[in-house]
Amino acid sequence: MFLSTRTLTLATALLVPLSLLRAETAADPSGHWEGAIHAPSGDVPVEVDLRLDDGDTLAGTFTSPAERIKGFPLWSATVEGMSVSLELKFDDSGVRTFAGNLSADGASMSGDLLVNVYAVPFNLARTGEAKIEAPPRSPAIDEAWTGEWSASLDVGGKPLPLELTLSNHADGTAMGSWASGGGTAVPISIAHQDRSLTLTSTVTPAAYAGTVNADGTEISGIFTAGPLEQTLTFTRAAGR
């Protein structure tokens, strides 16, 4: 007597090694990871925080103490089986990708940091729960200042677009973020007095102090980021 198709399917499934069945389910890389990028000039300590948000969407942040970067939001984060891909986009210079694999016990991750045509090895160890801070909330600002603004930095003779977003919320707080050259938007704190604004990044060593003009169409001031200091004027984004 011939076996039914259903019986054959069940019998085949029982013969598949349990390890292969497990591989079909993506691992959960949530947690705080510490390690280093093994660059030719020496190891660069880094930290990564990952968590699964609602809908099982993986999100996270990147920290590099040497670069004074703390909690930079990942451009994208995906996990497939035991393989993890973490993308960073600081500006228009391109995406940097941590392409790694989790160990069998999920306690470590290793692979390569891909930057353009270069591949640099990295290793990370899971040391605890994810440490992802919520974006800062500041006192509400003048409603006329909310919206999208744009400016251009001069970096080594090359213009670098800077996009600023300011918004008020129903709970009486304001939030802000900026992004350079089409990169990932990073949160900023907002302080103001009269028509003066001070914007400070909570992620990178960057800050801006400026004054909004009378009709609310420009913010003129000084932008600083480490050794960089230059005058900078934000204008209302086109169509806003």
Side-chain angles (χ1 to χ4, degrees):
M1 180 181 293
F2 291 100
L3 294 175
S4 68
T5 300
R6 181 180 180 186
T7 301
L8 285 173
T9 300
L10 290 173
T12 303
L14 292 174
L15 295 174
V16 176
L18 186 58
S19 60
L20 291 181
L21 290 176
R22 287 198 191 104
E24 294 177 358
T25 302
D28 182 359
S30 297
H32 179 73
W33 298 79
E34 297 183 7
I37 301 167
H38 306 298
S41 58
D43 286 355
V44 180
V46 295
E47 301 174 22
V48 173
D49 289 277
L50 299 173
R51 72 180 177 202
L52 287 173
D53 291 334
D54 294 340
D56 290 337
T57 299
L58 188 63
T61 60
F62 168 80
T63 295
S64 174
E67 298 295 326
R68 296 175 63 190
I69 296 173
K70 181 181 179 181
F72 193 96
L74 296 177
W75 180 255
S76 75
T78 57
V79 57
E80 183 174 347
M82 302 298 281
S83 298
V84 180
S85 177
L86 310 176
E87 293 186 339
L88 286 165
K89 189 175 183 183
F90 296 108
D91 48 37
D92 58 1
S93 61
V95 175
R96 306 178 188 186
T97 303
F98 286 89
N101 292 291
L102 294 167
S103 60
D105 61 3
S108 62
M109 184 193 312
S110 61
D112 290 316
L113 171 61
L114 309 177
V115 183
N116 296 324
V117 297
Y118 302 100
V120 183
F122 75 88
N123 292 91
L124 298 171
R126 181 155 28 191
T127 61
E129 298 296 321
K131 303 174 182 178
I132 301 178
E133 297 182 5
R137 289 183 175 270
S138 307
I141 60 176
D142 189 317
E143 195 64 35
W145 304 346
T146 62
E148 297 181 6
W149 304 76
S150 61
S152 181
L153 285 167
D154 181 359
V155 181
K158 179 183 176 182
L160 180 66
L162 187 62
E163 304 297 329
L164 167 69
T165 300
L166 302 174
S167 59
N168 282 327
H169 294 266
D171 63 357
T173 64
M175 298 179 70
S177 65
W178 56 31
S180 58
T184 304
V186 299
I188 55 176
S189 63
I190 308 168
H192 63 93
Q193 183 175 6
D194 298 328
R195 305 195 70 81
S196 297
L197 278 177
T198 299
L199 310 176
T200 306
S201 172
T202 60
V203 174
T204 64
Y208 178 77
T211 303
V212 184
N213 65 0
D215 57 6
T217 58
E218 290 186 349
I219 311 173
S220 301
I222 302 293
F223 180 87
T224 58
L228 175 68
E229 179 177 322
Q230 62 181 252
T231 58
L232 186 71
T233 298
F234 283 99
T235 59
R236 286 282 185 186
R240 300 290 176 178

